[in-house]
Amino acid sequence: KKNELYAAMLLTSYLTESNESPLKKLILEKGLGQDVTLSVEDGIKQSFLKLKISNTEQEKSAQIKKEVLALVQKLAQEGLDKKILEAALNQIEFMCREIEEPRGLYHNIRVLDSYLYGGAPELFLTFDDTFAFLREQLKTDYFEKLLLEMFDKKALVTLVMVPSPTLSRRREEDETKRVAAVQK
């Protein structure tokens, strides 16, 4: 599971790290959103993948889903650029090994990521085997298969958050009333 988690993190970097990354480029060029982030939410019992597209319209939701799934299929069929994957792997490995201060706190959080759910406390404190495994997988179609799993249509959930056009005005009115009450 740890290897798959780090492989998924690697793929999120590959897909959305820069404006030239395939998924981010697709969304930006087609005008489907103004920003794209893709992250693996871990440290919980069941990790999940979160694709966030900011500043888009609710009506574009179906088109976004269709375009994303088509891109994933295309990338899986054509193969991922192994040099870019390797660069992302190097970056993630560096971040895992070079922990900023307070190191003790970060290590404790890593211990809890596994231990809270019945896993081995040391699981996320060592990386040699994980990064060796991922480097070996660069020679195979492991990442393409994982990409397809990550974007399995049967497991996708779409959540559209629509801002309230009146929330700001209502908050301002409430604040004005509260201040008036305090002044009395």
Side-chain angles (χ1 to χ4, degrees):
K1 211 58 172 162
K2 177 180 167 187
N3 292 344
E4 191 174 289
L5 179 65
Y6 279 89
M9 289 178 188
L10 181 62
L11 286 170
T12 65
S13 177
Y14 182 92
L15 292 168
T16 60
E17 185 68 27
S18 74
N19 287 352
E20 292 302 311
S21 299
L23 182 54
K24 192 169 198 172
K25 185 176 183 177
L26 170 84
I27 299 298
L28 296 176
E29 285 183 352
K30 293 205 177 234
L32 298 173
Q34 292 180 351
D35 194 21
V36 180
T37 58
L38 181 64
S39 59
V40 176
E41 301 299 321
D42 64 338
I44 54 180
K45 187 158 181 82
Q46 183 175 348
S47 299
F48 62 93
L49 187 69
K50 178 175 72 174
L51 173 63
K52 179 180 170 188
I53 300 174
S54 301
N55 297 326
T56 188
E57 290 85 36
Q58 183 175 3
E59 299 78 33
K60 293 182 180 178
S61 177
Q63 183 185 359
I64 289 169
K65 187 175 182 179
K66 179 182 164 197
E67 296 282 352
V68 168
L69 293 174
L71 175 68
V72 165
Q73 287 294 324
K74 180 182 176 205
L75 290 172
Q77 287 173 356
E78 294 176 0
L80 302 172
D81 185 325
K82 302 299 183 183
K83 289 186 181 206
I84 295 174
L85 274 175
E86 185 176 18
L89 178 57
N90 291 337
Q91 182 181 22
I92 290 171
E93 182 175 11
F94 181 79
M95 288 182 345
C96 286
R97 294 186 189 278
E98 293 300 318
I99 302 170
E100 59 189 50
E101 293 296 332
R103 284 187 180 163
L105 180 60
Y106 283 110
H107 285 306
N108 283 325
I109 291 170
R110 284 182 173 175
V111 164
L112 290 175
D113 283 349
S114 174
Y115 186 64
L116 284 175
Y117 304 103
E122 71 281 1
L123 183 65
F124 292 108
L125 295 177
T126 59
F127 301 101
D128 292 339
D129 292 344
T130 299
F131 290 115
F133 170 80
L134 294 176
R135 285 191 195 294
E136 281 300 311
Q137 298 315 306
L138 289 172
K139 302 170 191 168
T140 70
D141 63 348
Y142 173 81
F143 290 102
E144 287 83 0
K145 288 178 180 176
L146 181 59
L147 181 63
L148 290 172
E149 281 182 44
M150 288 168 53
F151 286 91
D152 180 6
K153 282 194 272 190
K154 293 176 242 157
L156 292 179
V157 174
T158 303
L159 173 66
V160 178
M161 296 173 53
V162 181
S164 168
T166 60
L167 179 63
S168 178
R169 185 170 27 89
R170 284 185 291 151
R171 282 186 176 166
E172 190 175 303
E173 289 169 0
D174 290 347
E175 180 69 9
T176 302
K177 288 177 188 174
R178 189 186 69 73
V179 168
V182 169
Q183 286 177 338
K184 276 188 175 182

